[in-house]
Amino acid sequence: MTARIIDGKARAEALRKEIAAATRQLAQAHGLVPGLAVVLVGENPASQVYVHSKAKMTVEAGMHSVEHRLPETTSEAELLTLVGQLNADPAIHGILVQLPLPKQIDGQKVLNALDPAKDVDGFHPMNAGRLATGLPALVPCTPLGCVILAKSVHASLEGMEAVVIGRSNIVGKPLVQLLLAENATVTVAHSRTKNLAEVCRRGDLVFAAVGRAQFVRGDWIKPGATVIDVGINRIPKDDGKSRIVGDVAYDEAAGVAGAITPVPGGVGPMTIACLLLNTVRAACAIAGVPLPAMGIRPG
Ligand code: NAD
């Protein structure tokens, strides 16, 4: 069997177009321009690349984009002051503090200081709790993108066996909540799970969010399963350069799975599109106007 490739890049582009149309409608009908502030502390090269593409796509979607680049030596108090200013700024509806933060800053303290209504990453305990209890919430972007991609293959996830490998607050745990909300039967595997290959083979849907290059092997996949690979790992190439691979051994898994996301070009582009979606949702909620109709369900 050769798996269908789930084109996350194309799906993300389509979603960004829908968001741009919604943004135009909000400007015309309500004079509302969603605004996203991205805060980057330090010089982490991967974070710089992400922040640059986030800002570019925010503007392309017709939104107001603000970038704050602070030095590596920024104190926790300085960052908290900036968060307070952004919380109070009426032109800003979404605030994203790029992780990881330098050692002198307690990341959880910063997340706790965000106005939950502007927490477009969905990492504030209030949003995590609302998601877990089934209340409307701003939902973390990467898991939201994963579910949208799974639903591009299966109209309904109801009753499907979903295996999530990874239990981080950023990906694994919120993904579990979203899958439960879709009425999937969810198994969460993690670093202490026994017989991982066997557990993984239960999955009609497999979500790999481990952070280890090509960790999930082809013979861990149930024939015909849908595989969503969240991993972004840099590995060396023979020519001394490097390339990006996922947490799944792609060639092996693609020979067994029914559908699979590539890396790059799978979950990654969906994450930024979902960030824009969350910014529009936040802007509508703050302004008290209805979210324009879009082809996808925001989760
Ligand atoms: P994390 O390090 O916070 O969590 C990794 C999880 O994997 C942990 O819960 C751990 O229990 C589990 N794990 C570790 N070793 C394991 C093992 N041997 N067996 C089973 N489980 C094991 O990582 P994260 O932030 O959740 O990210 C996971 C991956 O997703 C990384 O590759 C990261 O780069 C990628 N990521 C991608 C995007 C995107 O936009 N595509 C966004 C966030 C993270």
PDB file of all heavy atoms in Angstrom, residues 142 165-168 171 190-191 196 209-212 215 230-233 247 267-268 271, ligand 1:
ATOM      1  N   THR A 142      -1.020  23.952  17.193  1.00  0.00           N
ATOM      2  CA  THR A 142      -0.519  22.732  16.546  1.00  0.00           C
ATOM      3  C   THR A 142      -1.524  21.582  16.665  1.00  0.00           C
ATOM      4  O   THR A 142      -1.860  20.946  15.655  1.00  0.00           O
ATOM      5  CB  THR A 142       0.866  22.358  17.117  1.00  0.00           C
ATOM      6  OG1 THR A 142       1.752  23.438  16.839  1.00  0.00           O
ATOM      7  CG2 THR A 142       1.406  21.085  16.505  1.00  0.00           C
ATOM      8  N   ILE A 165       1.150   9.955  20.729  1.00  0.00           N
ATOM      9  CA  ILE A 165       2.440   9.681  21.381  1.00  0.00           C
ATOM     10  C   ILE A 165       3.035  11.030  21.779  1.00  0.00           C
ATOM     11  O   ILE A 165       3.380  11.841  20.923  1.00  0.00           O
ATOM     12  CB  ILE A 165       3.408   8.906  20.472  1.00  0.00           C
ATOM     13  CG1 ILE A 165       2.687   7.743  19.782  1.00  0.00           C
ATOM     14  CG2 ILE A 165       4.594   8.387  21.279  1.00  0.00           C
ATOM     15  CD1 ILE A 165       3.550   6.982  18.790  1.00  0.00           C
ATOM     16  N   GLY A 166       3.125  11.256  23.086  1.00  0.00           N
ATOM     17  CA  GLY A 166       3.577  12.547  23.624  1.00  0.00           C
ATOM     18  C   GLY A 166       2.501  13.141  24.495  1.00  0.00           C
ATOM     19  O   GLY A 166       1.308  13.048  24.165  1.00  0.00           O
ATOM     20  N   ARG A 167       2.908  13.722  25.627  1.00  0.00           N
ATOM     21  CA  ARG A 167       1.921  14.286  26.567  1.00  0.00           C
ATOM     22  C   ARG A 167       2.319  15.686  27.012  1.00  0.00           C
ATOM     23  O   ARG A 167       2.108  16.070  28.163  1.00  0.00           O
ATOM     24  CB  ARG A 167       1.776  13.369  27.778  1.00  0.00           C
ATOM     25  CG  ARG A 167       3.102  13.136  28.488  1.00  0.00           C
ATOM     26  CD  ARG A 167       2.958  12.379  29.773  1.00  0.00           C
ATOM     27  NE  ARG A 167       4.253  11.875  30.193  1.00  0.00           N
ATOM     28  CZ  ARG A 167       4.447  11.101  31.249  1.00  0.00           C
ATOM     29  NH1 ARG A 167       3.437  10.755  32.008  1.00  0.00           N
ATOM     30  NH2 ARG A 167       5.652  10.693  31.554  1.00  0.00           N
ATOM     31  N   SER A 168       2.924  16.451  26.094  1.00  0.00           N
ATOM     32  CA  SER A 168       3.316  17.823  26.467  1.00  0.00           C
ATOM     33  C   SER A 168       2.072  18.709  26.572  1.00  0.00           C
ATOM     34  O   SER A 168       1.018  18.402  26.002  1.00  0.00           O
ATOM     35  CB  SER A 168       4.279  18.406  25.435  1.00  0.00           C
ATOM     36  OG  SER A 168       3.586  18.677  24.236  1.00  0.00           O
ATOM     37  N   VAL A 171       1.385  20.140  22.852  1.00  0.00           N
ATOM     38  CA  VAL A 171       0.831  19.305  21.780  1.00  0.00           C
ATOM     39  C   VAL A 171      -0.019  18.149  22.344  1.00  0.00           C
ATOM     40  O   VAL A 171      -1.235  18.100  22.137  1.00  0.00           O
ATOM     41  CB  VAL A 171       1.937  18.731  20.853  1.00  0.00           C
ATOM     42  CG1 VAL A 171       1.282  18.008  19.680  1.00  0.00           C
ATOM     43  CG2 VAL A 171       2.877  19.813  20.349  1.00  0.00           C
ATOM     44  N   HIS A 190       3.574   7.739  26.137  1.00  0.00           N
ATOM     45  CA  HIS A 190       4.615   8.703  26.528  1.00  0.00           C
ATOM     46  C   HIS A 190       5.884   7.953  26.869  1.00  0.00           C
ATOM     47  O   HIS A 190       5.978   6.736  26.631  1.00  0.00           O
ATOM     48  CB  HIS A 190       4.115   9.567  27.693  1.00  0.00           C
ATOM     49  CG  HIS A 190       3.490   8.784  28.781  1.00  0.00           C
ATOM     50  ND1 HIS A 190       4.226   8.073  29.687  1.00  0.00           N
ATOM     51  CD2 HIS A 190       2.191   8.534  29.053  1.00  0.00           C
ATOM     52  CE1 HIS A 190       3.406   7.448  30.504  1.00  0.00           C
ATOM     53  NE2 HIS A 190       2.158   7.704  30.139  1.00  0.00           N
ATOM     54  N   SER A 191       6.843   8.662  27.454  1.00  0.00           N
ATOM     55  CA  SER A 191       8.175   8.076  27.642  1.00  0.00           C
ATOM     56  C   SER A 191       8.172   6.862  28.579  1.00  0.00           C
ATOM     57  O   SER A 191       9.102   6.071  28.563  1.00  0.00           O
ATOM     58  CB  SER A 191       9.139   9.149  28.172  1.00  0.00           C
ATOM     59  OG  SER A 191       8.569   9.760  29.298  1.00  0.00           O
ATOM     60  N   LEU A 196       5.356   0.114  23.341  1.00  0.00           N
ATOM     61  CA  LEU A 196       4.861   1.249  22.558  1.00  0.00           C
ATOM     62  C   LEU A 196       4.430   0.829  21.145  1.00  0.00           C
ATOM     63  O   LEU A 196       3.392   1.289  20.649  1.00  0.00           O
ATOM     64  CB  LEU A 196       5.946   2.338  22.508  1.00  0.00           C
ATOM     65  CG  LEU A 196       5.581   3.630  21.834  1.00  0.00           C
ATOM     66  CD1 LEU A 196       4.340   4.266  22.446  1.00  0.00           C
ATOM     67  CD2 LEU A 196       6.751   4.614  21.914  1.00  0.00           C
ATOM     68  N   ALA A 209       4.095  13.037  18.476  1.00  0.00           N
ATOM     69  CA  ALA A 209       4.622  14.320  18.982  1.00  0.00           C
ATOM     70  C   ALA A 209       5.639  14.009  20.065  1.00  0.00           C
ATOM     71  O   ALA A 209       5.407  14.223  21.249  1.00  0.00           O
ATOM     72  CB  ALA A 209       3.486  15.186  19.518  1.00  0.00           C
ATOM     73  N   VAL A 210       6.757  13.457  19.632  1.00  0.00           N
ATOM     74  CA  VAL A 210       7.750  12.899  20.535  1.00  0.00           C
ATOM     75  C   VAL A 210       9.015  13.759  20.607  1.00  0.00           C
ATOM     76  O   VAL A 210       9.655  13.868  21.651  1.00  0.00           O
ATOM     77  CB  VAL A 210       8.149  11.460  20.077  1.00  0.00           C
ATOM     78  CG1 VAL A 210       8.973  10.751  21.148  1.00  0.00           C
ATOM     79  CG2 VAL A 210       6.939  10.643  19.704  1.00  0.00           C
ATOM     80  N   GLY A 211       9.388  14.345  19.462  1.00  0.00           N
ATOM     81  CA  GLY A 211      10.640  15.109  19.435  1.00  0.00           C
ATOM     82  C   GLY A 211      11.858  14.230  19.208  1.00  0.00           C
ATOM     83  O   GLY A 211      12.957  14.580  19.613  1.00  0.00           O
ATOM     84  N   ARG A 212      11.659  13.066  18.564  1.00  0.00           N
ATOM     85  CA  ARG A 212      12.777  12.175  18.229  1.00  0.00           C
ATOM     86  C   ARG A 212      12.685  11.800  16.757  1.00  0.00           C
ATOM     87  O   ARG A 212      11.648  11.258  16.333  1.00  0.00           O
ATOM     88  CB  ARG A 212      12.727  10.896  19.060  1.00  0.00           C
ATOM     89  CG  ARG A 212      13.037  11.153  20.503  1.00  0.00           C
ATOM     90  CD  ARG A 212      12.860   9.870  21.271  1.00  0.00           C
ATOM     91  NE  ARG A 212      13.320  10.078  22.625  1.00  0.00           N
ATOM     92  CZ  ARG A 212      14.163   9.266  23.267  1.00  0.00           C
ATOM     93  NH1 ARG A 212      14.605   8.182  22.682  1.00  0.00           N
ATOM     94  NH2 ARG A 212      14.537   9.535  24.487  1.00  0.00           N
ATOM     95  N   PHE A 215      11.295   8.205  14.870  1.00  0.00           N
ATOM     96  CA  PHE A 215      11.163   7.303  16.011  1.00  0.00           C
ATOM     97  C   PHE A 215      10.092   6.226  15.781  1.00  0.00           C
ATOM     98  O   PHE A 215      10.266   5.064  16.131  1.00  0.00           O
ATOM     99  CB  PHE A 215      10.811   8.176  17.217  1.00  0.00           C
ATOM    100  CG  PHE A 215      10.558   7.459  18.492  1.00  0.00           C
ATOM    101  CD1 PHE A 215      11.601   6.895  19.203  1.00  0.00           C
ATOM    102  CD2 PHE A 215       9.272   7.375  19.016  1.00  0.00           C
ATOM    103  CE1 PHE A 215      11.365   6.251  20.410  1.00  0.00           C
ATOM    104  CE2 PHE A 215       9.034   6.742  20.217  1.00  0.00           C
ATOM    105  CZ  PHE A 215      10.095   6.175  20.915  1.00  0.00           C
ATOM    106  N   VAL A 230       3.871  15.234  13.936  1.00  0.00           N
ATOM    107  CA  VAL A 230       4.041  16.596  14.456  1.00  0.00           C
ATOM    108  C   VAL A 230       5.528  16.985  14.524  1.00  0.00           C
ATOM    109  O   VAL A 230       5.881  18.146  14.546  1.00  0.00           O
ATOM    110  CB  VAL A 230       3.410  16.712  15.869  1.00  0.00           C
ATOM    111  CG1 VAL A 230       3.477  18.135  16.393  1.00  0.00           C
ATOM    112  CG2 VAL A 230       1.965  16.246  15.838  1.00  0.00           C
ATOM    113  N   GLY A 231       6.398  16.002  14.523  1.00  0.00           N
ATOM    114  CA  GLY A 231       7.824  16.237  14.805  1.00  0.00           C
ATOM    115  C   GLY A 231       8.518  17.158  13.823  1.00  0.00           C
ATOM    116  O   GLY A 231       8.207  17.168  12.627  1.00  0.00           O
ATOM    117  N   ILE A 232       9.416  17.949  14.350  1.00  0.00           N
ATOM    118  CA  ILE A 232      10.321  18.754  13.520  1.00  0.00           C
ATOM    119  C   ILE A 232      11.716  18.520  14.088  1.00  0.00           C
ATOM    120  O   ILE A 232      12.045  19.022  15.168  1.00  0.00           O
ATOM    121  CB  ILE A 232       9.982  20.263  13.594  1.00  0.00           C
ATOM    122  CG1 ILE A 232       8.555  20.523  13.107  1.00  0.00           C
ATOM    123  CG2 ILE A 232      10.991  21.076  12.786  1.00  0.00           C
ATOM    124  CD1 ILE A 232       8.127  21.987  13.194  1.00  0.00           C
ATOM    125  N   ASN A 233      12.511  17.716  13.395  1.00  0.00           N
ATOM    126  CA  ASN A 233      13.849  17.384  13.882  1.00  0.00           C
ATOM    127  C   ASN A 233      14.858  17.641  12.767  1.00  0.00           C
ATOM    128  O   ASN A 233      14.601  17.310  11.613  1.00  0.00           O
ATOM    129  CB  ASN A 233      13.925  15.896  14.268  1.00  0.00           C
ATOM    130  CG  ASN A 233      12.796  15.479  15.190  1.00  0.00           C
ATOM    131  OD1 ASN A 233      12.786  15.829  16.355  1.00  0.00           O
ATOM    132  ND2 ASN A 233      11.813  14.755  14.655  1.00  0.00           N
ATOM    133  N   ASP A 247       8.868  12.821  13.369  1.00  0.00           N
ATOM    134  CA  ASP A 247       9.023  11.808  14.421  1.00  0.00           C
ATOM    135  C   ASP A 247       8.679  10.414  13.888  1.00  0.00           C
ATOM    136  O   ASP A 247       8.755   9.431  14.623  1.00  0.00           O
ATOM    137  CB  ASP A 247       8.090  12.126  15.601  1.00  0.00           C
ATOM    138  CG  ASP A 247       8.549  13.341  16.380  1.00  0.00           C
ATOM    139  OD1 ASP A 247       9.703  13.775  16.189  1.00  0.00           O
ATOM    140  OD2 ASP A 247       7.753  13.856  17.185  1.00  0.00           O
ATOM    141  N   VAL A 267       2.045  19.236   9.254  1.00  0.00           N
ATOM    142  CA  VAL A 267       1.480  19.948  10.412  1.00  0.00           C
ATOM    143  C   VAL A 267       2.037  21.381  10.526  1.00  0.00           C
ATOM    144  O   VAL A 267       1.315  22.298  10.900  1.00  0.00           O
ATOM    145  CB  VAL A 267       1.760  19.147  11.712  1.00  0.00           C
ATOM    146  CG1 VAL A 267       1.324  19.932  12.938  1.00  0.00           C
ATOM    147  CG2 VAL A 267       1.058  17.793  11.662  1.00  0.00           C
ATOM    148  N   GLY A 268       3.319  21.552  10.199  1.00  0.00           N
ATOM    149  CA  GLY A 268       3.978  22.863  10.382  1.00  0.00           C
ATOM    150  C   GLY A 268       3.187  24.037   9.814  1.00  0.00           C
ATOM    151  O   GLY A 268       2.846  24.975  10.543  1.00  0.00           O
ATOM    152  N   THR A 271       0.033  25.027  11.691  1.00  0.00           N
ATOM    153  CA  THR A 271       0.175  25.693  12.992  1.00  0.00           C
ATOM    154  C   THR A 271       0.021  27.209  12.835  1.00  0.00           C
ATOM    155  O   THR A 271      -0.719  27.845  13.596  1.00  0.00           O
ATOM    156  CB  THR A 271       1.552  25.342  13.613  1.00  0.00           C
ATOM    157  OG1 THR A 271       1.578  23.935  13.842  1.00  0.00           O
ATOM    158  CG2 THR A 271       1.786  26.064  14.913  1.00  0.00           C
TER     159      THR A 271
HETATM  160  P1  NAD B   1       8.142  17.683  24.413  1.00  0.00           P
HETATM  161  O1  NAD B   1       9.603  17.351  24.487  1.00  0.00           O
HETATM  162  O2  NAD B   1       7.594  18.713  25.310  1.00  0.00           O
HETATM  163  O3  NAD B   1       7.308  16.348  24.644  1.00  0.00           O
HETATM  164  C1  NAD B   1       7.682  15.138  24.055  1.00  0.00           C
HETATM  165  C2  NAD B   1       6.776  14.046  24.549  1.00  0.00           C
HETATM  166  O4  NAD B   1       7.228  12.831  23.974  1.00  0.00           O
HETATM  167  C3  NAD B   1       6.788  13.883  26.059  1.00  0.00           C
HETATM  168  O5  NAD B   1       5.479  13.984  26.546  1.00  0.00           O
HETATM  169  C4  NAD B   1       7.372  12.500  26.298  1.00  0.00           C
HETATM  170  O6  NAD B   1       6.665  11.767  27.302  1.00  0.00           O
HETATM  171  C5  NAD B   1       7.228  11.819  24.973  1.00  0.00           C
HETATM  172  N1  NAD B   1       8.369  10.936  24.734  1.00  0.00           N
HETATM  173  C6  NAD B   1       9.684  11.245  24.828  1.00  0.00           C
HETATM  174  N2  NAD B   1      10.433  10.138  24.600  1.00  0.00           N
HETATM  175  C7  NAD B   1       9.568   9.141  24.386  1.00  0.00           C
HETATM  176  C8  NAD B   1       9.736   7.761  24.111  1.00  0.00           C
HETATM  177  N3  NAD B   1      10.937   7.200  24.044  1.00  0.00           N
HETATM  178  N4  NAD B   1       8.633   7.014  23.927  1.00  0.00           N
HETATM  179  C9  NAD B   1       7.401   7.559  23.997  1.00  0.00           C
HETATM  180  N5  NAD B   1       7.191   8.869  24.252  1.00  0.00           N
HETATM  181  C10 NAD B   1       8.261   9.637  24.453  1.00  0.00           C
HETATM  182  O7  NAD B   1       7.869  18.032  22.884  1.00  0.00           O
HETATM  183  P2  NAD B   1       6.643  18.832  22.188  1.00  0.00           P
HETATM  184  O8  NAD B   1       6.783  20.279  22.452  1.00  0.00           O
HETATM  185  O9  NAD B   1       5.352  18.156  22.506  1.00  0.00           O
HETATM  186  O10 NAD B   1       6.999  18.575  20.654  1.00  0.00           O
HETATM  187  C11 NAD B   1       6.997  17.292  20.092  1.00  0.00           C
HETATM  188  C12 NAD B   1       7.526  17.367  18.669  1.00  0.00           C
HETATM  189  O11 NAD B   1       6.672  18.188  17.911  1.00  0.00           O
HETATM  190  C13 NAD B   1       8.911  17.979  18.522  1.00  0.00           C
HETATM  191  O12 NAD B   1       9.572  17.332  17.431  1.00  0.00           O
HETATM  192  C14 NAD B   1       8.635  19.411  18.165  1.00  0.00           C
HETATM  193  O13 NAD B   1       9.685  20.007  17.406  1.00  0.00           O
HETATM  194  C15 NAD B   1       7.409  19.245  17.324  1.00  0.00           C
HETATM  195  N6  NAD B   1       6.521  20.426  17.293  1.00  0.00           N
HETATM  196  C16 NAD B   1       6.080  20.811  16.069  1.00  0.00           C
HETATM  197  C17 NAD B   1       5.220  21.868  15.943  1.00  0.00           C
HETATM  198  C18 NAD B   1       4.712  22.248  14.592  1.00  0.00           C
HETATM  199  O14 NAD B   1       4.285  23.358  14.372  1.00  0.00           O
HETATM  200  N7  NAD B   1       4.723  21.309  13.636  1.00  0.00           N
HETATM  201  C19 NAD B   1       4.810  22.577  17.081  1.00  0.00           C
HETATM  202  C20 NAD B   1       5.245  22.147  18.344  1.00  0.00           C
HETATM  203  C21 NAD B   1       6.100  21.066  18.420  1.00  0.00           C
END
